[in-house]
Amino acid sequence: MSESATMYDVLLVGAGPAGTACALALRDSGLRVALVDKAQFPRDKICGDAIPSPTLKALARLNPAYATEVLALTAAHRAEVAHSRLVAPAGAEVHISWKAPAFNSPRLHFDDALLQLVRRHTSTEILENWPVQTVEATPAHVALRSSRPELAPLTARLVIGCDGANSVVGRQLVPWPLDRRRHCAAVRVYYTGVQHAPETTSDFYFLRRHLAGYCWVFPVGNGVYNVGFGMLSSDIARDQVDLKQVLRQLLSEHPGLAPRFREARPLGKIQGFGLPLGGSARPLTGPRALLCGDAAALIDPMQGHGIDKAVQSGMLAAEHAKRCFQQNNFSPAALHLYTDEVQRRIGRPLRQRYRLMRLLAVRPWLVDALLLLARVPWLERAFVKAIG
Ligand SMILES: Cc1cc2nc3c(=O)[nH]c(=O)nc-3n(C[C@H](O)[C@H](O)[C@H](O)COP(=O)(O)OP(=O)(O)OC[C@H]3O[C@@H](n4cnc5c(N)ncnc54)[C@H](O)[C@@H]3O)c2cc1C
C-alpha cells in the first residue's frame, strides 16, 4: 500500500440509498468510515422516483427521526401516492389503493436528503467528486485509486460496494457475468402538462408486445411527471428494441397515453440506465469486500423497485461489518455469512417474484385476466399483497 494513502476502517463506495443507509447504520460503531462518490450532490439518478414504503420503514428502525427528517427535507419535491392505475394489454383498467403510505420524489432531492442525514447524524467523512477507478485487495487491506490523479489513494480494512448497477467494486473484486435474462434496461423523461393525471396516482401500462416490462407515468410533485418504459435486456437484444423510440411511439400512439400527452411538454432528454434484477445466485462478497443495492443485483423483478432493497442491504452490510471488526475476522467464510443473510431476507422472495415475472411475460391473456379479477374487492386485497 502507498505510504501516502489515507487509512479508514470502512470505505463505502457510492452515496445512493445503499451507501447512505450503510453509513447511518454504522453511526455508533466507533469505526472510521468514509463515503466516497464520483458525483457532487445533489445529483440526478435515472429512476422512476417511486420510493417504496419499506424504505422509510427501514430507516425508521434505525432511528424514527430519520424517516421524519427525510419527509421534511423532501416536502417541496414529493407526491404522496395512495393509488395505482394498472392498464392491461387489452386496455382494461384497474384502480388499486395502497395500504402502506408511499411517495414519489425525484432522486435529485431524495438522495440528497439521505446524504444530509449522514452529514447531520454521523461522523462519516464524505468525499464527493471522487471517481473510483481501481479497487485492489491484499490479505490485510483494500485500496481505492481515483481516475483523478491528484487524489491520493484511500485504504481501509473493508470496502462496501454501494456503487450501483455498473459497480467498479463488483467488477474488480466480485466479478460475475451479465445475464441479460436477469437484467432490465429502462428509459425515463420528465414531463409537465400531462392530462388526466391525479397527483396521488401512479400509472402502469402493460403492453402486449413488450410484456416483461411496462410503461409508467408517475407524479413527482409540482405538476411534474416521471414517464418511462423498461423491459428485459434479453428481449431488447433479441428484438433489437430501441427503448427511446418505443417510449416516443407510445406517448404519441397508444390509445390510453396519446390523448394525455397531446399538450404535454418534456423537460429534458430521454435517458436510460440498467436494472440488475434480484433472485440470482450472484455472490455478494469478495476479498475484503461486501456488495449492496444494485451492485449486489437486488431489484424486484416484478416492479423494478430497488431503493428499498438498497437501504435494507446497506443496513445488513453495516451489521455484518461491525461483527467482522468485533471478531477481527475478514476471512472469506466470515464475509460469506453476509451473502447468506441477504439471500435469506431479500434474495429468496425476489427469486419467487422472478419466476412470476417470467410466467406472466409470455402470457398476455393471464395479465389481462389477473387485472380483471383484481377489480373484485376481496381479490384486490390479495392482488395488492402479491404485487406490493
Ligand atoms: C429507469 C429506472 C427506473 C427505476 N425506477 C425505480 C423506482 O421507481 N423505484 C425504485 O425503488 N427503484 C427504481 N429503480 C431502481 C433504483 O434506481 C435502484 O435500485 C437504486 O438507485 C439502487 O440504489 P444504490 O444505492 O444501490 O445505487 P445508486 O442509486 O445507483 O447509487 C450509486 C452511487 O454510486 C456512485 N458511483 C457509481 N460509480 C462510482 C465510482 N466509480 N466511484 C465513485 N462513486 C460511484 C454514483 O454516483 C451513485 O451516487 C429504477 C432504475 C432505473 C434505471
Side-chain angles (χ1 to χ4, degrees):
M1 299 291 158
S2 154
E3 284 301 309
S4 58
T6 312
M7 182 70 186
Y8 295 90
D9 292 313
V10 182
L11 280 167
L12 303 175
V13 181
T20 48
C22 193
L24 290 169
L26 285 170
R27 169 184 160 168
D28 295 320
S29 62
L31 298 171
R32 188 175 178 204
V33 180
L35 177 57
V36 178
D37 202 291
K38 65 181 178 186
Q40 168 82 49
F41 282 66
R43 63 98 180 89
D44 188 20
K45 156 78 177 81
I46 297 162
C47 184
D49 300 332
I51 314 299
S53 57
T55 311
L56 282 201
K57 274 193 209 147
L59 289 173
R61 275 202 304 279
L62 282 179
N63 181 344
Y66 295 164
T68 318
E69 286 180 39
V70 168
L71 290 175
L73 288 164
T74 55
H77 308 282
R78 206 172 68 224
E80 312 294 341
V81 176
H83 316 281
S84 288
R85 174 167 47 185
L86 311 182
V87 183
E93 285 188 13
V94 58
H95 292 252
I96 301 276
S97 295
W98 298 103
K99 297 281 171 283
F103 65 93
N104 300 339
S105 178
R107 297 287 299 276
L108 180 76
H109 304 292
F110 179 74
D111 287 18
D112 194 47
L114 293 180
L115 190 59
Q116 286 198 47
L117 293 192
V118 178
R119 282 189 220 285
R120 282 181 191 176
H121 295 279
T122 77
S123 54
T124 309
E125 287 180 47
I126 298 170
L127 306 173
E128 295 169 87
N129 298 311
W130 217 104
V132 176
Q133 187 172 43
T134 64
V135 189
E136 191 189 328
T138 71
H141 294 109
V142 63
L144 304 185
R145 286 188 176 74
S146 177
S147 52
R148 289 179 56 200
E150 72 275 21
L151 296 172
L154 307 172
T155 66
R157 295 174 69 198
L158 185 68
V159 65
I160 305 187
C162 310
D163 47 342
N166 303 322
S167 170
V168 172
V169 180
R171 279 203 311 274
Q172 297 189 16
L173 295 186
V174 199
W176 186 249
L178 173 73
D179 178 355
R180 288 198 168 84
R181 292 163 308 167
R182 292 185 179 274
H183 189 274
C184 275
V187 293
R188 75 99 165 93
V189 56
Y190 289 110
Y191 263 92
T192 186
V194 181
Q195 299 301 303
H196 313 298
E199 285 256 337
T200 54
T201 303
S202 286
D203 294 336
F204 298 79
Y205 289 81
F206 299 95
L207 312 162
R208 190 166 295 277
R209 250 193 97 189
H210 305 299
L211 254 189
Y214 60 83
C215 172
W216 69 83
V217 181
F218 292 169
V220 294
N222 306 308
V224 176
Y225 293 80
N226 181 319
V227 181
F229 170 65
M231 58 185 283
L232 263 189
S233 298
S234 52
D235 291 2
I236 296 174
R238 186 195 60 213
D239 300 338
Q240 299 284 296
V241 178
D242 176 342
L243 294 179
K244 293 181 182 176
Q245 182 57 27
V246 173
L247 182 61
R248 278 189 211 102
Q249 216 168 340
L250 284 170
L251 301 185
S252 60
E253 292 174 14
H254 185 284
L257 287 162
R260 301 179 59 196
F261 280 82
R262 206 157 285 141
E263 307 293 323
R265 191 167 56 82
L267 296 174
K269 286 187 187 155
I270 303 178
Q271 291 177 288
F273 206 67
L275 295 90
L277 302 182
S280 74
R282 197 216 191 295
L284 307 184
T285 63
R288 297 251 162 201
L290 308 177
L291 300 179
C292 301
D294 280 10
L298 294 174
I299 291 182
D300 176 355
M302 283 290 289
Q303 291 194 316
H305 286 172
I307 298 168
D308 50 344
K309 311 295 179 302
V311 166
Q312 290 161 351
S313 57
M315 287 164 52
L316 289 176
E319 290 314 310
H320 200 77
K322 286 185 220 170
R323 267 196 299 278
C324 289
F325 278 92
Q326 276 156 11
Q327 298 165 3
N328 192 24
N329 186 354
F330 300 86
S331 65
L335 293 177
H336 187 76
L337 295 175
Y338 167 71
T339 303
D340 292 344
E341 183 78 351
V342 173
Q343 292 299 1
R344 193 171 62 77
R345 299 221 198 174
I346 304 174
R348 210 174 289 161
L350 291 183
R351 261 199 296 286
Q352 288 162 3
R353 293 171 74 79
Y354 179 77
R355 282 198 286 270
L356 182 59
M357 181 273 284
R358 297 298 307 203
L359 179 84
L360 295 174
V362 287
R363 293 172 181 82
W365 57 269
L366 187 54
V367 179
D368 283 324
L370 282 175
L371 292 185
L372 279 178
L373 286 173
R375 289 173 163 185
V376 181
W378 68 270
L379 285 175
E380 181 197 333
R381 283 194 293 278
F383 188 81
V384 167
K385 208 169 157 206
I387 63 166

